[in-house]
Amino acid sequence: MSPAKDLPKKIPFIQVGKTVLTIWKFITSNIKVTIGSGIVGFFLLVAIFGPMFIHNNPALYTRQINLSPSWQHLLGTTTGGQDILEQLIVGTSTSIFWGLGTTIAIESLGAVIGIVGAYFGGWWDELLTVLSNVFLVIPGLVLAIVLAAFLPRGSLTVSAAIFVTSWAYVARSLRAQTLSLRSRDFIVAARSMGERTWRILFFEILPNELPLVSAGIVNNFSNVIVAMATLEFLGLGSLNTISWGTMLYWAQVNAALIVGQWWWFVPPGLCIALFGAGLTLINFGIDEIADPRLRQFKSRKRKQLKKVTTI
Amino acid sequence: MSDPILSVQHISIDYGFDEDATHAVTDVSFTLGRGEFLGLAGESGCGKSTLAYGIANILRNPANIVSGEILYYGKNTPPTNILALSGAALRAFRWNELAIVFQSAMNALNPVLSLRAQFRDIFTTHRPHMSRKDIDQRAVELLQMVGIAPDRLHSFPHELSGGMRQRAGIALALALNPDIIIMDEPTTALDVVAQREILSEMIRLRQNLQFSVIFITHDLSLLLELADNVAIMYAGRIVEYGDRRNLYTHARHPYSYGLLHSFPPLRGPAKKVFGIAGSPPDLRALPQGCAFHPRCPMAFAACQSALPILKTADPAFPAQQTACHLYDTALRATPPTEEDIAAAYAANSQRRGMRV
Amino acid sequence: MKDVNTPILTVQGLQKYFPVGQFGLRRRYLRAVEDVSFSLYPGKVTALVGESGSGKTTVARVLARIYDPTSGKISLDGQDAGAIAPRAYRRKVQMIFQDPFSSLNPATSIAYTLSRPLVAHGHATFSNVHQFLPELLQRVSLTPAEQFLKKHPHELSGGQRQRVAIARALAVQPEILLADEPVSMLDVSIRLDILNLMTQLKEEEKLAILFITHDIASARYFAEETLVMYAGQMVEGGSSEEVTQQPKHPYTQLLLSAAPDPDRLADPAAEIPVLPARGEIPSLVNPPSGCRFHPRCPLAMDVCKERFPQRTNLENGHWVHCHHVQSAE
């Protein structure tokens, strides 16, 4: 019998440690990834744990209106007397979680449509390609504004409007990738072995596209955050939710820009910019790791060659 | 040794630097005679292509030559160290004195230029005084020399078949009458018939033009038909060097023997052949001592600790050099005969055939 | 016990055309395989020899049901293959690909690659499949098996990968193995190891093997029967010894004289051979009429351009399609 059974079972603690080490190595291997992960990690921590430290309702009106930053209110207050730091923390949480959810939904639908169309080819592919092309030519933001204006207000509407206008890009890139994988030997081998089609799609093809999908998630995440903030800034979001976009909306409505209440509109704007920059840095870093040609080679001088002495 | 044209001395080539370095070629020395056809045989990863590119001084980062020198003996000039050349001198040296034919002609030929444009490129760079008419005339001459019809001058690489492309690559290499041609697996991508045609062409051209050839291949059986001398490489070192007939009649290194008997016979009695157990080594983690010892059916204690050096194994054949402890009389009283090696391979294969 | 004298797979008049260029009114075809017939027997290796463009890989892929034949009949165990469900067919017929660097999924572990055929064909279940894997690896001499199961293809050498690919095919417990140039991408020193392994499997498990190769010497070494193809047509066949030692078709003779043969060194009188024919395999979109070899054939006659020659049966099961041999008979 196999000697594997006699071996002691792997200690889970060590396995977890190894995984952490691998991730740590990845993060520290490239300066762009390190900085990007730092920024994104900070925002994720705030999004997850920040709301736990806020005991007041940040939407509640108080009398302490239009205060500039002070020790009581680190980022000042709004025209309604709400603490901006508290709003920002809650808003970070909302924006990031809605953004992430929307991104994952976009990637999933795009992946399924791209992979299925390309793998089956023929009639299915024609239909799905036409459908995604239609969505590709419609200007995304305009359609999203129209959709968000007609649907009932709320975060779900904003998310849905962005979802509808974004999946086609993902579908197109994964379709191209699947087309090239489909004729590769290992897919042909799986088919000729008698593998079931859905397993070929999701266990043979999809794992090979995961790098593309994860790069897509990083990339789309920042696009989605910006798009959501845009729609909310235009007043198409839910007025009862606090997010980066709605904070900007209320700042605009209450003429914070004209009055010069910079502490109201700068923090959410800066958060959007920083978070987007962090994600972009990670994306650049991944590109460099995946393609060593983008890395600058530290070419060192060739060691001194021996002189011609004898013939 | 006849009049030498190229002398390679203690060349070592690394990929990467310092402690991360992979030693692709280690301490390789040999001499190429004027008009000699030298075969360089070995399996993937043995360093044969790296060595060839090193000789032509066309290695790029992260490959770098860490030691050694390569002397070229021009007709009326003092010997030059190729590795010391750079810039214009190096460019002039390539094509003029030394040309390379690559494995994939499609990569070596520029896909967007016709053959004529590629010939013009070479001649206008290296022979600026030549008129266009002269260039075309010379190009047609070269194409005919390698068996391509003159009307193909205006063809683009993709319009040619694999064999024709490789011929065109040879014609371009011959353009400036180099003294040395390095051929890196020039026929590996071709079918047997096209391969044979190109090789016969090479033999004919070499007789007429008197250039020297370094021919790199994994196919030892080809070299035995073509080359004057054959060097067999394993894990970055030459393990055996000798005249092709000596090597064929008596391969002394167990690796050479195994490689030579990895081809089933085409004629004569059918017999069982074995190949060599195991896989070629990982250059990043070479075994101690002789790199071949884990796969060698005749390995003994010394092979695991000491590195054998290339030297004459049998005084009767001074030119045949072998890097193997089996022929060191201090370690082993009587050197093995070819039958001993054959028996060891057979016994080894028998042992592996037993299923657990 | 399997009857070694009854063919397990028979191919009759197999033809495969690929459409080329979808635009334009006149549809054109690449005539990859034209009228191929042969049989595979349990415990016997049949080699299909030819250069690239001879259609030999297409034949294997049609037999693996990767492509559908344009016409012709394939019967498995006396049953028409078209009537057998693909899964049932594949349970008996498995394929090994040329390039082990691309035929294994880089994203999945060896354990996954090998467990799928076992589960998919009902030889194991999800829960107990891991018991079968070590034995499977031992059958292809990959030991210690535990060491390999967790690895991914990029961690293995070419020879080890090809052994995994063979193990994947064996996991289905097939009766027929289609081996498409299984050793041509491997290092020279380990090719024979793989061929000897396949010989062992053939003898122990009475597998019928179709061995596709461009190397006529390895066909002679490994296969009992050898068939030679040129530009989609079968030109010669018979026992490997007969075909390689007494080739009758000019193309087979050409292949043999072009093959590298160091043993020529043993005979000081032997010179580097001068090839009897030149040129390359023609375009299969507009193939030459009649015998497709006639433009290169040193013995071509007028009749060769008109029609493809009938099969001429020589002694000992040796046959050839050649007008020249026909007229000499």
Side-chain angles (χ1 to χ4, degrees):
Chain A
M1 267 327 284
S2 68
K5 288 189 175 163
D6 309 329
L7 291 170
K9 286 206 167 168
K10 288 261 167 66
I11 306 157
F13 180 71
I14 292 178
Q15 291 289 18
V16 172
K18 268 187 186 170
T19 316
V20 170
L21 193 70
T22 320
I23 295 173
W24 180 251
K25 270 189 184 160
F26 170 75
I27 289 174
T28 52
S29 62
N30 181 296
I31 183 75
K32 288 180 184 164
V33 176
T34 315
I35 296 173
S37 309
I39 296 171
V40 172
F42 171 74
F43 276 103
L44 286 179
L45 285 178
V46 171
I48 295 166
F49 299 108
M52 292 177 191
F53 296 99
I54 292 168
H55 307 296
N56 312 320
N57 180 355
L60 214 61
Y61 293 114
T62 67
R63 291 189 183 180
Q64 296 168 312
I65 61 167
N66 293 339
L67 295 179
S68 52
S70 65
W71 285 112
Q72 260 86 45
H73 302 281
L74 282 176
L75 288 176
T77 58
T78 69
T79 317
Q82 302 133 317
D83 185 278
I84 289 179
L85 181 63
E86 287 178 357
Q87 283 207 334
L88 194 65
I89 290 170
V90 174
T92 300
S93 187
T94 325
S95 287
I96 285 183
F97 287 120
W98 275 103
L100 189 62
T102 312
T103 310
I104 289 171
I106 289 169
E107 285 291 331
S108 310
L109 182 78
V112 169
I113 287 186
I115 292 175
V116 166
Y119 185 76
F120 288 103
W123 191 81
W124 271 104
D125 192 29
E126 298 278 334
L127 183 80
L128 293 174
T129 309
V130 166
L131 196 68
S132 18
N133 283 344
V134 166
F135 279 96
L136 283 174
V137 287
I138 295 174
L141 198 61
V142 176
L143 178 66
I145 291 170
V146 172
L147 279 175
F150 280 93
L151 293 172
R153 282 196 171 192
S155 302
L156 190 62
T157 300
V158 172
S159 167
I162 294 166
F163 172 75
V164 166
T165 51
S166 308
W167 62 267
Y169 293 90
V170 179
R172 186 176 58 171
S173 78
L174 286 185
R175 176 177 177 271
Q177 180 79 359
T178 309
L179 277 181
S180 84
L181 281 173
R182 189 174 71 139
S183 55
R184 293 271 292 277
D185 272 356
F186 63 86
I187 298 299
V188 179
R191 262 197 321 213
S192 75
M193 185 272 285
E195 185 63 288
R196 289 174 205 282
T197 306
W198 66 271
R199 271 205 166 259
I200 293 181
L201 292 180
F202 297 106
F203 287 79
E204 306 275 348
I205 291 180
L206 189 61
N208 283 288
E209 292 177 346
L210 279 184
L212 197 65
V213 172
S214 46
I217 287 180
V218 173
N219 198 22
N220 269 336
F221 198 178
S222 58
N223 294 345
V224 166
I225 293 270
V226 170
M228 289 181 95
T230 310
L231 292 185
E232 286 166 343
F233 175 70
L234 293 174
L236 298 164
S238 157
L239 299 181
N240 302 321
T241 320
I242 298 170
S243 69
W244 291 339
T246 52
M247 283 178 76
L248 287 173
Y249 170 73
W250 286 117
Q252 153 75 9
V253 166
N254 291 302
L257 284 114
I258 299 165
V259 181
Q261 273 177 302
W262 56 269
W263 57 86
W264 196 352
F265 59 85
V266 168
L270 208 59
C271 282
I272 294 171
L274 262 179
F275 190 67
L279 288 168
T280 311
L281 280 175
I282 294 181
N283 229 1
F284 284 166
I286 291 175
D287 276 354
E288 280 183 14
I289 292 168
D291 186 353
R293 273 174 302 178
L294 294 177
R295 254 176 290 172
Q296 299 234 305
F297 237 108
K298 288 178 215 153
S299 84
R300 278 177 241 182
K301 265 190 196 165
R302 188 190 278 166
K303 285 180 190 161
Q304 201 68 45
L305 294 165
K306 272 187 269 174
K307 277 187 184 166
V308 181
T309 45
T310 48
I311 293 163
Chain B
M1 183 56 67
S2 67
D3 182 18
I5 190 155
L6 190 78
S7 155
V8 174
Q9 291 172 7
H10 306 291
I11 280 290
S12 295
I13 303 173
D14 283 0
Y15 282 92
F17 298 96
D18 306 333
E19 62 274 15
D20 299 337
T22 302
H23 308 297
V25 173
T26 316
D27 195 20
V28 164
S29 305
F30 63 85
T31 308
L32 179 71
R34 206 171 282 280
E36 182 186 338
F37 193 126
L38 174 72
L40 209 54
E43 296 178 277
S44 59
C46 74
K48 56 191 191 299
S49 294
T50 308
L51 176 61
Y53 294 169
I55 292 170
N57 200 358
I58 54 170
L59 287 171
R60 302 230 312 242
N61 259 330
N64 59 338
I65 300 174
V66 290
S67 66
E69 59 192 30
I70 298 166
L71 297 179
Y72 167 73
Y73 301 86
K75 279 175 191 110
N76 307 308
T77 50
T80 21
N81 184 358
I82 299 176
L83 301 181
L85 295 176
S86 60
L90 183 60
R91 275 196 298 280
F93 174 76
R94 290 184 206 143
W95 290 113
N96 273 317
E97 325 287 354
L98 180 148
I100 297 197
V101 178
F102 293 94
Q103 172 172 2
S104 162
M106 201 60 204
N107 292 344
L109 299 175
N110 188 335
V112 296
L113 294 182
S114 68
L115 290 181
R116 181 194 205 175
Q118 306 198 31
F119 276 110
R120 280 191 177 162
D121 263 3
I122 294 177
F123 285 115
T124 46
T125 316
H126 293 277
R127 300 277 187 277
H129 61 272
M130 268 176 92
S131 71
R132 292 201 150 200
K133 210 178 126 217
D134 289 348
I135 292 176
D136 282 357
Q137 200 183 339
R138 175 82 179 125
V140 166
E141 215 176 280
L142 285 162
L143 286 181
Q144 279 175 324
M145 214 149 73
V146 298
I148 299 180
D151 59 338
R152 285 293 192 172
L153 184 61
H154 302 278
S155 300
F156 287 85
H158 66 89
E159 297 169 326
L160 305 174
S161 70
M164 291 254 251
R165 263 180 240 149
Q166 205 52 276
R167 285 162 188 269
I170 294 171
L172 285 168
L174 291 173
L176 303 177
N177 269 327
D179 286 335
I180 304 166
I181 293 193
I182 295 177
M183 307 189 88
D184 182 22
E185 305 244 12
T187 59
T188 305
L190 302 178
D191 278 312
V192 273
V193 178
Q195 162 172 299
R196 174 64 64 187
E197 284 173 358
I198 289 204
L199 295 178
S200 328
E201 211 79 72
M202 276 308 290
I203 291 171
R204 199 175 51 78
L205 287 170
R206 194 170 70 97
Q207 277 163 359
N208 296 343
L209 303 175
Q210 299 291 321
F211 50 82
S212 310
V213 180
I214 299 178
F215 192 99
I216 296 154
T217 180
H218 65 275
D219 192 345
L220 186 55
S221 59
L222 265 186
L223 286 184
L224 289 176
E225 287 188 53
L226 300 169
D228 300 321
N229 291 306
V230 175
I232 294 173
M233 285 185 77
Y234 189 78
R237 293 172 187 271
I238 293 181
V239 296
E240 185 149 20
Y241 174 90
D243 175 81
R244 61 166 171 158
R245 281 179 198 279
N246 288 344
L247 210 61
Y248 172 74
T249 49
H250 191 161
R252 285 166 212 275
H253 197 288
Y255 177 66
S256 319
Y257 179 89
L259 207 53
L260 203 56
H261 292 80
S262 290
F263 304 95
L266 193 58
R267 291 184 183 79
K271 58 181 178 195
K272 183 140 170 126
V273 279
F274 302 106
I276 307 172
S279 319
D282 180 354
L283 288 174
R284 286 163 299 180
L286 280 184
Q288 280 277 312
C290 171
F292 185 59
H293 88 255
R295 300 174 74 191
C296 183
M298 300 197 79
F300 59 110
C303 304
Q304 292 168 26
S305 50
L307 184 75
I309 54 161
L310 198 63
K311 59 185 176 199
T312 302
D314 183 345
F317 299 97
Q320 187 176 4
Q321 297 184 306
T322 310
C324 183
H325 290 314
L326 291 170
Y327 301 93
D328 190 335
T329 42
L331 296 171
R332 193 185 150 109
T334 47
T337 61
E338 219 181 11
E339 286 75 34
D340 292 342
I341 303 178
Y345 267 110
N348 195 28
S349 155
Q350 204 99 55
R351 223 174 16 254
R352 284 186 302 125
M354 308 274 270
R355 293 268 179 76
V356 188
Chain C
M1 203 57 238
K2 289 173 192 167
D3 179 3
V4 293
N5 294 316
T6 318
I8 181 158
L9 185 109
T10 308
V11 180
Q12 270 296 329
L14 181 73
Q15 201 178 43
K16 177 65 189 171
Y17 290 0
F18 293 99
V20 283
Q22 297 190 337
F23 304 103
L25 295 172
R26 204 163 49 92
R27 241 201 167 166
R28 301 202 304 164
Y29 291 96
L30 184 121
R31 294 151 203 269
V33 174
E34 200 85 71
D35 194 20
V36 162
S37 307
F38 61 88
S39 301
L40 300 179
Y41 296 87
K44 201 168 143 183
V45 180
T46 304
L48 201 54
V49 180
E51 295 176 275
S52 53
S54 64
K56 56 193 196 301
T57 295
T58 308
V59 170
R61 293 195 164 210
V62 169
L63 291 187
R65 290 182 74 162
I66 296 167
Y67 305 145
D68 290 324
T70 306
S71 71
K73 201 175 147 221
I74 302 168
S75 52
L76 177 68
D77 267 340
Q79 237 186 315
D80 181 19
I84 306 173
R87 267 176 99 77
Y89 180 87
R90 285 172 173 149
R91 193 168 175 155
K92 294 196 170 176
V93 184
Q94 282 293 306
M95 180 151 171
I96 298 166
F97 291 77
Q98 175 177 13
D99 182 1
F101 288 84
S102 73
S103 73
L104 298 178
N105 194 334
T108 56
S109 70
I110 304 305
Y112 178 84
T113 303
L114 292 182
S115 64
R116 284 309 305 157
L118 287 167
V119 175
H121 290 275
H123 300 306
T125 63
F126 269 117
S127 42
N128 71 7
V129 67
H130 291 281
Q131 298 168 12
F132 296 93
L133 300 180
E135 191 235 324
L136 200 54
L137 285 173
Q138 272 160 23
R139 269 166 79 196
V140 293
S141 308
L142 281 178
T143 49
E146 284 72 23
Q147 196 189 312
F148 288 100
L149 286 173
K150 273 195 177 168
K151 290 194 171 171
H152 281 70
H154 67 90
E155 296 169 90
L156 306 182
S157 71
Q160 289 169 338
R161 288 176 195 217
Q162 197 60 296
R163 284 168 195 273
V164 171
I166 293 173
R168 170 175 60 189
L170 291 178
V172 177
Q173 300 175 15
E175 292 171 23
I176 298 161
L177 220 47
L178 309 168
D180 184 8
E181 304 241 19
V183 297
S184 68
M185 301 289 273
L186 302 179
D187 272 313
V188 177
S189 68
I190 53 184
R191 287 182 186 175
L192 281 164
D193 242 21
I194 299 283
L195 285 186
N196 288 341
L197 168 74
M198 285 173 62
T199 306
Q200 201 175 357
L201 292 169
K202 169 198 80 173
E203 281 162 6
E204 286 171 8
E205 316 193 4
K206 292 280 168 275
L207 284 171
I209 299 179
L210 180 69
F211 174 58
I212 291 178
T213 182
H214 65 272
D215 177 16
I216 201 159
S218 65
R220 179 193 179 211
Y221 178 72
F222 179 46
E224 282 85 5
E225 190 186 359
T226 293
L227 313 168
V228 182
M229 276 185 84
Y230 180 78
Q233 294 172 329
M234 302 199 78
V235 296
E236 186 165 7
S239 81
S240 299
E241 243 359 80
E242 287 267 342
V243 172
T244 57
Q245 303 309 302
Q246 278 134 29
K248 290 289 183 283
H249 197 282
Y251 178 63
T252 317
Q253 292 167 350
L254 173 68
L255 270 186
L256 276 159
S257 60
D261 181 10
D263 292 334
R264 288 192 187 108
L265 268 180
D267 175 9
E271 270 308 301
I272 300 288
V274 178
L275 291 185
R278 293 189 70 103
E280 271 130 4
I281 287 196
S283 151
L284 297 179
V285 179
N286 286 311
S289 58
C291 172
R292 289 180 182 174
F293 188 59
H294 81 253
R296 295 172 72 186
C297 183
L299 308 172
M301 305 178 287
D302 285 341
V303 64
C304 301
K305 292 174 197 158
E306 284 156 23
R307 55 190 164 80
F308 187 66
Q310 291 291 310
R311 174 161 157 161
T312 312
N313 286 308
L314 310 163
E315 66 276 14
N316 303 329
H318 189 180
W319 50 265
V320 62
H321 285 281
C322 181
H323 287 299
H324 197 73
V325 177
Q326 217 166 25
S327 53
E329 278 288 297

